[in-house]
Amino acid sequence: FIKNMIKLINLRLLNRKSAVISANSIRCFSSDSHDDFKPLKKNIPQGLEDAVNLIKNQVNENDIILYMKGTPERPQCGFSLQAVRILKVAGVDFASVNVLEYPSIREGIKAFSEWPTIPQLYIKGEFVGGADILTSMYNDGELTKLLKDKQLIKDE
């Protein structure tokens, strides 16, 4: 029975463009699906100037935004992981941008802040720093004070 099932699965997979196999199911994807059903991606800035303009808007529109490698759920470097942990412990909501998905933003954020490393944290439009500065501020209590001063967390 198992051998027949594997043959059937293999036959189905051969007729598809790509497939994802998980422990519970098999999901098949076809590249010839209608445009309405394809995943959408926001417009990606092509040049440095477009990226910097987009970053300006993101920084101004979000009280707290973290430019990082990966996502808060799946950081792709230890420094980004450290920054996410600190923000979660601080109890604040924050927006994030995965610079690994957007090379133009990855370079644009460095030009925007004149800071060479990622992650980069912005609070109320101001550049705070990277993981090392954020860690130091958290340990010294400066981060909590800054968040209270900006009215992003309440006094206890």
Side-chain angles (χ1 to χ4, degrees):
F1 174 76
I2 293 175
K3 287 181 182 179
N4 289 335
M5 189 65 148
I6 291 172
K7 285 180 186 177
L8 179 62
I9 290 170
N10 287 335
L11 285 174
R12 285 184 181 172
L13 294 179
L14 289 174
N15 294 326
R16 301 292 182 170
K17 300 288 183 193
S18 63
V20 175
I21 301 174
S22 68
N24 298 330
S25 66
I26 297 174
R27 298 184 316 170
C28 297
F29 303 97
S30 175
S31 64
D32 60 348
S33 68
H34 190 274
D35 287 343
D36 289 346
F37 301 104
K38 290 183 180 176
L40 297 177
K41 216 168 194 186
K42 293 182 180 180
N43 290 335
I44 300 170
Q46 297 303 316
L48 186 62
E49 186 177 331
D50 289 342
V52 169
N53 288 332
L54 176 63
I55 292 164
K56 281 180 190 175
N57 290 337
Q58 291 172 335
V59 166
N60 291 326
E61 291 173 1
N62 295 282
D63 288 338
I64 302 173
I65 187 164
L66 179 65
Y67 291 86
M68 62 181 291
K69 293 178 182 175
T71 64
E73 296 77 26
R74 290 186 157 220
Q76 296 295 307
C77 82
F79 297 110
S80 293
L81 174 63
Q82 177 72 1
V84 167
R85 284 180 175 168
I86 289 170
L87 292 172
K88 285 184 177 182
V89 168
V92 294
D93 291 328
F94 62 98
S96 67
V97 176
N98 179 359
V99 299
L100 298 177
E101 287 186 6
Y102 307 100
S104 58
I105 293 177
R106 184 177 187 172
E107 293 309 311
I109 193 65
K110 295 174 187 179
F112 179 75
S113 64
E114 298 179 359
W115 190 261
T117 60
I118 295 168
Q120 293 187 14
L121 179 68
Y122 293 81
I123 297 178
K124 291 279 189 174
E126 294 178 33
F127 176 58
V128 175
D132 53 346
I133 293 171
L134 188 57
T135 300
S136 176
M137 289 178 71
Y138 176 76
N139 290 335
D140 295 344
E142 292 177 44
L143 181 62
T144 302
K145 182 182 180 322
L146 175 64
L147 294 170
K148 286 179 181 178
D149 290 348
K150 300 287 185 179
Q151 300 178 345
L152 296 169
I153 58 174
K154 295 179 182 177
D155 289 323
E156 294 177 24

